[in-house]
Amino acid sequence: MDGTGQAHDRAHNRQLWSLVNERFTDADAAARWSELDISWGLFRIPDADLGLLGDLDGLRVAELGAGTAYFSAWLARAGARPVALDLSAAQLGSARRCQEQTGIHFPLVEADGAVLPLATGAFDLVVSEYGAAPWCDPARWLPEAARILRPGGRLVFLTNSVLAGLCVPADEGFAGEQLLRPQRDLYPITWPEGGTEHHPGHGDWIRLLVDAGFVVDALHELYPPHHAATHEWYDIVTADWARNWPAEDLWVATLPG
Ligand SMILES: C[S@@+](CC[C@H](N)C(=O)[O-])C[C@H]1O[C@@H](n2cnc3c(N)ncnc32)[C@H](O)[C@@H]1O
């Protein structure tokens, strides 16, 4: 995609996320900041159950597409030193308010996840929980993530599963049990009422990660626990659907030391 197309997608996505902030995430932000455990995704799967992040004390972390930055807040509470970046000033405004309310402070930076105003080799860990991963082209954001990591640094990111992308209706509502579009149409896909997202197949993700210099450690296909309920307003998949098919992909990759 050319520069004009990228700028158009960015403007569209920024506008969409201002609206989502106004309707949902701003009201939700304080509650999310107050959660004590680090968890992943629609069904809040505890990181401790997955054994992924480990000891965070003192780690320099960049969160790409942080939204209201609750994930960075959890990391800060666990002793990490996060920097939270997002394209949307509205989302970062909610994060700033939560910082004032909680006293948990870290840098909030308005930036495109594919063009990071951060120093080369300055981070131990890059995370994204539905941030840059679906919303930026991985051919652009993965090389940036690799650039800001130190040798031996880790990238951990969560995004929608390819299967969810194939089964979710274009207009509105939850994923069903039929494939609704070719897999090749998911990278990228512009939703009629939404923004432009990037959902490469698993083979493409591996190629893109390797091209950016990463070694792939794991792909965790997440299933919600039995007690998990359908998310209140991200109407992508129901909890029942996600108990049958993986709705979320959690990738772990390392930059060779
Ligand atoms: C689903 S939220 C992720 C934040 C949080 N983990 C959550 O699930 O609510 C997606 C975020 O990506 C941000 N975003 C969209 N396009 C982006 C881009 N090009 N660069 C950085 N952030 C972007 C949006 O502004 C939004 O805050």
Side-chain angles (χ1 to χ4, degrees), residues 12-188:
H12 191 185
N13 287 350
R14 185 185 284 115
Q15 198 180 21
L16 171 76
W17 280 98
S18 291
L19 194 68
V20 176
N21 179 265
E22 197 181 302
R23 286 169 65 179
F24 302 110
T25 55
D26 182 62
D28 206 31
R32 299 249 46 199
W33 272 61
S34 71
E35 290 170 25
L36 295 179
D37 296 324
I38 298 175
S39 66
W40 291 96
L42 295 172
F43 304 104
R44 292 166 163 69
I45 298 175
D47 184 74
D49 289 0
L50 298 166
L52 284 186
L53 294 178
D55 183 5
L56 289 157
D57 198 33
L59 290 194
R60 300 159 300 170
V61 189
E63 184 184 6
L64 310 184
T68 60
Y70 57 79
F71 203 94
S72 282
W74 301 337
L75 297 174
R77 229 190 267 121
R81 292 184 282 145
V83 176
L85 300 96
D86 200 278
L87 188 63
S88 159
Q91 294 276 73
L92 294 175
S94 304
R96 202 160 292 115
R97 192 194 63 234
C98 290
Q99 291 197 333
E100 280 153 21
Q101 287 167 351
T102 60
I104 301 172
H105 290 280
F106 46 83
L108 299 170
V109 181
E110 188 176 329
D112 181 358
V115 188
L116 302 175
L118 300 172
T120 299
F123 291 85
D124 303 296
L125 176 67
V126 171
V127 295
S128 174
E129 195 224 19
Y130 281 126
W135 293 99
C136 296
D137 183 347
R140 299 183 65 233
W141 79 265
L142 290 177
E144 274 292 84
R147 181 185 65 75
I148 65 167
L149 278 170
R150 64 162 170 80
R154 277 211 304 170
L155 168 66
V156 184
F157 67 93
L158 179 86
T159 191
N160 306 92
S161 71
V162 181
L163 196 54
L166 293 172
C167 296
V168 78
D171 36 24
E172 234 176 46
F174 296 103
E177 297 189 12
Q178 288 180 337
L179 304 177
L180 299 179
R181 60 191 57 84
Q183 182 164 324
R184 288 183 143 182
D185 288 359
L186 286 178
Y187 177 38

